[in-house]
Amino acid sequence: RKEVEQDPGPFNVPEGATVAFNCTYSNSASQSFFWYRQDCRKEPKLLMSVYSSGNEDGRFTAQLNRASQYISLLIRDSKLSDSATYLCVVSPPWAGNMLTFGGGTRLMVKP
Amino acid sequence: NAGVTQTPKFQVLKTGQSMTLQCAQDMNHNSMYWYRQDPGMGLRLIYYSASEGTTDKGEVPNGYNVSRLNKREFSLRLESAAPSQTSVYFCASSQSGGRETQYFGPGTRLLVL
């Protein structure tokens, strides 16, 4: 089993739609969680950290479910510019300085 | 403020050739990382340097060596390139530990024939 698993997609949605991605992680003792965004042929960039209580940043909401070992990302009112690959990132407790990246979920927002 | 820079952007090598990928950051970060990204595999850590003077293996270190030249620079060397090393290589840095935000360079696209 992969340490961090994501549905690769693509998720094709119209502008203005709400879309949600889930990501599952294998190590129940993992402490830190993030969503990164990666545009085509570009480097990953931090979108948001994921806190135990859940957190929101504008149109983006991240949730953590420790019992079921998954994190989610909800995007409301999708924009064309949201088209990208979204990477789920986890820091297992043994990892020290290392992060473990999921394979990414591709989102395509259509006019 | 350039952030993290990498050279070269593209490279084609023949099997058995060697090369060094260069990375530099100007954010005064302590930790630096080298990843490779392959389709469907996500980003995998090759080596990292928690601080100047230290380096440690990541998930896929075989076939690579690294040098933390100073606080700013962290290079990745392929001594004898193999087709399996065809990939996109990203360098990243963070203030201290991996649990903090990592800032990535633009990547190096490497093709080994």
Side-chain angles (χ1 to χ4, degrees), chain A residues 2 31-32 34 36 38 40-46 49 87 91-104, chain B residues 10 31 33 35 37 40-43 45 48 50 57-59 90 96-107 109:
Chain A
K2 289 184 182 178
Q31 294 295 319
S32 302
F34 310 90
Y36 276 69
Q38 185 173 25
C40 188
R41 300 180 72 80
K42 298 287 189 180
E43 71 272 22
K45 293 183 180 179
L46 179 70
S49 300
L87 306 174
S91 181
W94 49 264
N97 284 291
M98 291 190 276
L99 297 176
T100 301
F101 286 76
Chain B
F10 304 97
S31 301
Y33 314 83
Y35 293 90
Q37 186 174 35
M41 298 292 291
L43 282 148
L45 185 66
Y48 68 97
K57 295 178 180 180
E59 182 185 355
F90 288 102
S96 53
R99 295 190 177 93
E100 298 187 358
T101 301
Q102 292 190 11
Y103 296 86
F104 285 80
R109 283 170 171 71

Coordinates of all heavy atoms in Angstrom, one line a residue, chain A residues 2 31-32 34 36 38 40-46 49 87 91-104, chain B residues 10 31 33 35 37 40-43 45 48 50 57-59 90 96-107 109:
Chain A
K2 N 0.6 2.2 -0.9 CA 1.3 3.4 -0.9 C 1.0 4.2 0.4 O 0.0 4.1 1.0 CB 0.9 4.3 -2.1 CG 1.3 3.7 -3.4 CD 0.9 4.7 -4.5 CE 1.3 4.2 -5.9 NZ 0.8 5.1 -7.0
Q31 N 1.8 13.4 11.6 CA 1.6 14.6 12.3 C 1.2 15.8 11.5 O 0.4 16.7 11.9 CB 2.8 15.0 13.2 CG 3.1 13.9 14.2 CD 2.0 13.9 15.3 OE1 1.5 14.9 15.7 NE2 1.7 12.7 15.7
S32 N 1.8 15.9 10.3 CA 1.6 17.2 9.5 C 1.1 16.8 8.2 O 1.5 15.8 7.6 CB 3.0 17.9 9.4 OG 3.5 18.2 10.6
F34 N -0.4 18.6 4.3 CA -0.4 19.8 3.5 C -1.1 19.5 2.1 O -1.1 18.3 1.7 CB 1.0 20.2 3.1 CG 1.9 20.3 4.3 CD1 2.7 19.3 4.8 CD2 2.1 21.6 5.0 CE1 3.5 19.4 5.9 CE2 2.9 21.7 6.1 CZ 3.6 20.6 6.5
Y36 N -0.3 20.8 -1.8 CA 0.5 21.6 -2.7 C -0.2 21.6 -4.0 O -0.9 20.7 -4.4 CB 1.9 21.0 -2.9 CG 2.9 21.4 -1.8 CD1 2.8 20.9 -0.5 CD2 4.0 22.2 -2.1 CE1 3.7 21.2 0.5 CE2 4.9 22.5 -1.1 CZ 4.8 22.0 0.2 OH 5.7 22.3 1.1
Q38 N 0.4 22.1 -8.2 CA 1.5 22.0 -9.2 C 0.9 22.3 -10.6 O 0.0 21.5 -11.1 CB 2.2 20.7 -9.3 CG 3.4 20.6 -10.2 CD 4.2 19.4 -10.1 OE1 3.7 18.3 -9.7 NE2 5.5 19.4 -10.5
C40 N 1.1 22.7 -14.8 CA 1.7 21.9 -15.8 C 3.1 22.3 -16.0 O 3.4 23.5 -16.3 CB 0.9 21.9 -17.1 SG 1.4 20.7 -18.3
R41 N 4.1 21.4 -15.9 CA 5.5 21.6 -16.2 C 6.1 22.7 -15.3 O 7.1 23.4 -15.6 CB 5.7 22.0 -17.6 CG 5.2 20.9 -18.6 CD 5.4 21.2 -20.0 NE 6.8 21.2 -20.4 CZ 7.5 20.1 -20.7 NH1 6.9 18.9 -20.7 NH2 8.8 20.2 -21.0
K42 N 5.5 22.9 -14.1 CA 6.0 23.8 -13.1 C 6.4 23.1 -11.8 O 6.1 21.9 -11.7 CB 5.0 24.9 -12.9 CG 4.7 25.8 -14.1 CD 5.8 26.7 -14.4 CE 5.3 27.7 -15.5 NZ 6.4 28.6 -15.9
E43 N 6.9 23.9 -10.9 CA 7.3 23.3 -9.6 C 6.1 23.3 -8.7 O 5.2 24.1 -8.8 CB 8.4 24.1 -8.9 CG 8.1 25.5 -8.4 CD 8.3 26.5 -9.5 OE1 8.2 26.2 -10.7 OE2 8.4 27.7 -9.1
P44 N 6.0 22.4 -7.7 CA 5.0 22.4 -6.7 C 5.1 23.7 -5.8 O 6.2 24.1 -5.5 CB 5.2 21.2 -5.8 CG 6.1 20.3 -6.7 CD 6.9 21.3 -7.5
K45 N 3.9 24.2 -5.4 CA 3.9 25.3 -4.4 C 2.8 25.0 -3.4 O 1.8 24.4 -3.6 CB 3.5 26.6 -5.2 CG 4.6 27.0 -6.2 CD 4.2 28.4 -6.8 CE 5.3 28.8 -7.8 NZ 4.9 30.0 -8.5
L46 N 3.2 25.4 -2.1 CA 2.2 25.2 -1.0 C 0.9 25.9 -1.3 O 0.9 27.1 -1.5 CB 2.9 25.6 0.3 CG 1.9 25.5 1.5 CD1 1.8 24.0 1.8 CD2 2.5 26.2 2.7
S49 N -1.7 24.4 4.5 CA -1.5 23.4 5.5 C -2.9 22.9 6.0 O -3.9 23.6 5.8 CB -0.7 23.9 6.7 OG 0.5 24.4 6.3
L87 N -1.4 18.1 -5.0 CA -0.6 17.1 -4.3 C -0.9 17.0 -2.8 O -0.8 18.1 -2.1 CB 0.9 17.4 -4.5 CG 1.4 17.6 -5.9 CD1 2.8 18.0 -5.9 CD2 1.2 16.3 -6.7
S91 N 3.6 14.2 6.6 CA 4.9 14.0 7.2 C 4.7 12.9 8.3 O 4.2 13.2 9.3 CB 5.4 15.3 7.9 OG 6.6 15.1 8.5
P92 N 5.2 11.7 8.0 CA 5.0 10.6 8.9 C 5.9 10.9 10.2 O 6.9 11.6 10.1 CB 5.6 9.4 8.2 CG 5.5 9.7 6.8 CD 5.8 11.2 6.7
P93 N 5.6 10.3 11.3 CA 6.3 10.6 12.5 C 7.8 10.2 12.5 O 8.6 10.9 13.2 CB 5.6 9.9 13.6 CG 4.8 8.8 12.9 CD 4.5 9.3 11.5
W94 N 8.1 9.2 11.7 CA 9.5 8.8 11.7 C 10.3 9.6 10.7 O 11.5 9.4 10.6 CB 9.5 7.3 11.3 CG 8.7 7.0 10.0 CD1 7.5 6.6 10.0 CD2 9.1 7.2 8.7 NE1 7.0 6.5 8.7 CE2 8.0 6.8 7.9 CE3 10.3 7.7 8.1 CZ2 8.1 6.9 6.5 CZ3 10.3 7.8 6.7 CH2 9.2 7.4 5.9
A95 N 9.7 10.5 10.0 CA 10.3 11.0 8.8 C 11.3 12.1 9.1 O 12.1 12.5 8.2 CB 9.3 11.5 7.8
G96 N 11.3 12.7 10.3 CA 12.2 13.8 10.5 C 12.0 14.9 9.5 O 11.0 15.6 9.6
N97 N 13.0 15.1 8.7 CA 12.9 16.2 7.7 C 12.2 15.8 6.4 O 12.1 16.6 5.5 CB 14.3 16.6 7.4 CG 14.9 17.5 8.5 OD1 14.5 18.6 8.7 ND2 15.9 16.9 9.1
M98 N 11.6 14.6 6.3 CA 11.1 14.2 5.0 C 9.6 14.4 4.9 O 8.9 14.3 5.9 CB 11.4 12.7 4.8 CG 12.9 12.5 4.5 SD 13.3 10.9 4.0 CE 13.4 10.0 5.6
L99 N 9.1 14.7 3.7 CA 7.7 14.7 3.4 C 7.4 13.6 2.4 O 8.3 13.2 1.6 CB 7.3 16.1 2.8 CG 7.5 17.3 3.6 CD1 7.1 18.5 2.8 CD2 6.6 17.2 4.9
T100 N 6.2 13.0 2.5 CA 5.8 12.0 1.6 C 4.7 12.6 0.7 O 3.7 13.1 1.2 CB 5.3 10.8 2.3 OG1 6.4 10.3 3.1 CG2 4.9 9.7 1.3
F101 N 4.9 12.6 -0.6 CA 4.0 13.2 -1.5 C 3.1 12.1 -2.2 O 3.5 11.0 -2.5 CB 4.7 13.9 -2.7 CG 5.3 15.2 -2.3 CD1 6.5 15.2 -1.5 CD2 4.8 16.4 -2.6 CE1 7.1 16.4 -1.1 CE2 5.4 17.6 -2.3 CZ 6.5 17.6 -1.5
G102 N 1.8 12.4 -2.3 CA 0.9 11.6 -3.1 C 1.2 11.9 -4.6 O 1.9 12.8 -5.0
G103 N 0.6 11.0 -5.4 CA 0.8 11.1 -6.9 C 0.1 12.3 -7.5 O 0.4 12.7 -8.7
G104 N -0.8 12.9 -6.8 CA -1.5 14.1 -7.3 C -2.9 13.8 -7.9 O -3.1 12.7 -8.4
Chain B
F10 N 17.3 21.9 -18.8 CA 17.1 20.6 -19.6 C 18.5 20.0 -19.9 O 19.5 20.8 -20.0 CB 16.5 20.9 -21.0 CG 15.2 21.7 -21.0 CD1 15.2 23.0 -21.1 CD2 14.0 21.0 -20.8 CE1 14.0 23.7 -21.1 CE2 12.8 21.7 -20.8 CZ 12.8 23.0 -20.9
S31 N 17.6 23.8 5.5 CA 17.4 22.5 5.0 C 17.2 22.6 3.5 O 16.5 23.5 3.0 CB 16.2 21.8 5.6 OG 16.4 21.7 7.0
Y33 N 16.7 19.9 -0.2 CA 16.2 18.6 -0.6 C 16.4 18.4 -2.2 O 16.3 19.4 -2.9 CB 14.7 18.4 -0.3 CG 14.4 18.9 1.1 CD1 14.1 20.2 1.3 CD2 14.2 17.9 2.1 CE1 13.8 20.6 2.6 CE2 13.9 18.4 3.4 CZ 13.7 19.7 3.6 OH 13.3 20.1 4.9
Y35 N 14.5 16.0 -5.1 CA 13.4 15.0 -5.4 C 13.5 14.7 -6.9 O 14.0 15.5 -7.7 CB 12.0 15.7 -5.2 CG 11.7 16.0 -3.8 CD1 12.0 17.2 -3.2 CD2 10.9 15.1 -3.0 CE1 11.6 17.5 -1.9 CE2 10.6 15.4 -1.7 CZ 10.9 16.6 -1.2 OH 10.5 16.9 0.1
Q37 N 10.6 13.4 -9.9 CA 9.2 13.2 -10.2 C 9.0 12.5 -11.5 O 9.5 12.9 -12.6 CB 8.5 14.6 -10.3 CG 7.0 14.4 -10.4 CD 6.3 15.8 -10.3 OE1 6.8 16.8 -10.8 NE2 5.1 15.8 -9.7
G40 N 2.9 9.3 -12.5 CA 2.2 8.3 -11.6 C 2.9 8.0 -10.3 O 2.4 7.2 -9.5
M41 N 4.1 8.5 -10.1 CA 4.9 8.1 -8.9 C 4.9 9.2 -7.9 O 5.4 9.0 -6.8 CB 6.4 7.8 -9.3 CG 6.5 6.6 -10.3 SD 6.0 5.1 -9.5 CE 7.3 4.8 -8.4
G42 N 4.6 10.4 -8.2 CA 4.7 11.5 -7.3 C 6.1 11.9 -7.1 O 7.0 11.4 -7.8
L43 N 6.3 12.8 -6.2 CA 7.7 13.2 -5.9 C 8.3 12.3 -4.9 O 7.7 11.9 -3.9 CB 7.6 14.6 -5.3 CG 7.4 15.8 -6.2 CD1 6.6 16.9 -5.6 CD2 8.8 16.3 -6.7
L45 N 11.9 11.5 -2.6 CA 13.0 12.2 -2.1 C 14.3 11.4 -2.4 O 14.3 10.2 -2.1 CB 12.9 12.4 -0.6 CG 14.0 13.1 0.2 CD1 14.0 14.6 -0.3 CD2 13.8 13.1 1.7
Y48 N 18.6 14.6 1.2 CA 18.3 15.9 1.8 C 19.5 16.3 2.7 O 20.3 15.4 3.1 CB 17.0 15.9 2.6 CG 17.0 15.0 3.8 CD1 17.2 15.6 5.1 CD2 16.7 13.7 3.8 CE1 17.2 14.8 6.3 CE2 16.7 12.9 4.9 CZ 16.9 13.5 6.2 OH 16.9 12.7 7.3
A50 N 19.8 18.4 6.2 CA 19.1 19.1 7.3 C 19.8 20.5 7.6 O 19.1 21.4 8.0 CB 19.0 18.3 8.5
K57 N 20.3 10.1 3.2 CA 19.6 9.5 2.1 C 18.1 9.6 2.3 O 17.6 9.6 3.4 CB 20.0 8.0 2.1 CG 21.4 7.7 1.7 CD 21.7 6.2 1.7 CE 23.2 6.0 1.4 NZ 23.5 4.5 1.4
G58 N 17.4 9.7 1.2 CA 16.0 9.7 1.2 C 15.5 8.3 0.7 O 16.1 7.3 1.0
E59 N 14.4 8.4 0.0 CA 13.7 7.1 -0.5 C 14.4 6.4 -1.6 O 14.5 5.2 -1.7 CB 12.3 7.4 -0.9 CG 11.4 6.3 -1.3 CD 10.1 6.7 -1.8 OE1 9.8 7.9 -1.8 OE2 9.3 5.8 -2.3
F90 N 13.7 18.1 -8.9 CA 13.4 19.3 -8.2 C 14.2 19.4 -7.0 O 14.4 18.5 -6.2 CB 11.9 19.4 -7.8 CG 10.9 19.6 -8.9 CD1 10.2 18.5 -9.4 CD2 10.7 20.8 -9.4 CE1 9.3 18.7 -10.4 CE2 9.8 21.0 -10.5 CZ 9.1 19.9 -11.0
S96 N 13.8 25.0 8.4 CA 14.5 24.0 9.2 C 14.0 22.6 8.8 O 14.6 21.9 8.0 CB 14.3 24.3 10.7 OG 13.0 24.4 11.0
G97 N 12.9 22.2 9.4 CA 12.5 20.8 9.2 C 11.6 20.6 8.0 O 11.0 21.6 7.5
G98 N 11.4 19.4 7.6 CA 10.5 19.0 6.5 C 9.1 19.3 6.8 O 8.3 19.4 5.8
R99 N 8.7 19.5 8.0 CA 7.3 19.8 8.3 C 7.0 21.2 8.0 O 5.8 21.6 8.1 CB 7.0 19.4 9.8 CG 7.2 17.9 10.0 CD 6.6 17.5 11.4 NE 6.7 16.1 11.6 CZ 7.7 15.5 12.2 NH1 8.8 16.2 12.6 NH2 7.8 14.2 12.3
E100 N 8.0 22.0 7.7 CA 7.7 23.4 7.3 C 7.5 23.5 5.8 O 7.8 22.5 5.1 CB 8.8 24.3 7.8 CG 9.0 24.3 9.3 CD 10.0 25.3 9.7 OE1 10.6 26.0 8.9 OE2 10.2 25.4 10.9
T101 N 7.0 24.6 5.4 CA 6.8 24.8 3.9 C 8.1 24.6 3.2 O 9.2 25.1 3.6 CB 6.3 26.2 3.7 OG1 5.1 26.4 4.4 CG2 6.1 26.4 2.2
Q102 N 8.1 23.8 2.1 CA 9.2 23.6 1.3 C 9.0 24.5 0.0 O 7.9 24.5 -0.6 CB 9.4 22.2 0.9 CG 9.8 21.3 2.1 CD 10.2 19.9 1.7 OE1 10.4 19.6 0.6 NE2 10.4 19.1 2.7
Y103 N 10.0 25.2 -0.4 CA 10.0 26.0 -1.6 C 10.8 25.3 -2.7 O 12.0 24.9 -2.4 CB 10.6 27.4 -1.3 CG 9.8 28.1 -0.3 CD1 10.0 28.0 1.1 CD2 8.8 29.0 -0.7 CE1 9.2 28.6 2.0 CE2 8.0 29.7 0.3 CZ 8.2 29.5 1.6 OH 7.5 30.2 2.5
F104 N 10.2 25.1 -3.8 CA 10.8 24.4 -4.9 C 11.4 25.2 -6.0 O 10.9 26.3 -6.2 CB 9.8 23.5 -5.5 CG 9.4 22.3 -4.7 CD1 8.5 22.4 -3.7 CD2 9.9 21.0 -4.9 CE1 8.1 21.3 -2.9 CE2 9.6 19.9 -4.2 CZ 8.7 20.1 -3.1
G105 N 12.5 24.7 -6.6 CA 13.0 25.3 -7.8 C 12.2 24.9 -9.0 O 11.3 24.1 -8.9
P106 N 12.6 25.5 -10.2 CA 11.8 25.2 -11.4 C 11.9 23.9 -12.0 O 11.2 23.5 -12.9 CB 12.2 26.3 -12.3 CG 13.6 26.6 -11.9 CD 13.6 26.5 -10.4
G107 N 12.9 23.1 -11.5 CA 13.1 21.8 -12.0 C 14.1 21.7 -13.1 O 14.4 22.6 -13.9
R109 N 14.8 19.0 -16.4 CA 14.3 17.8 -17.1 C 15.5 17.1 -17.7 O 16.2 17.7 -18.5 CB 13.3 18.3 -18.2 CG 12.0 18.7 -17.6 CD 11.0 19.4 -18.5 NE 9.7 19.5 -17.9 CZ 9.4 20.3 -16.9 NH1 10.3 21.1 -16.4 NH2 8.2 20.3 -16.4

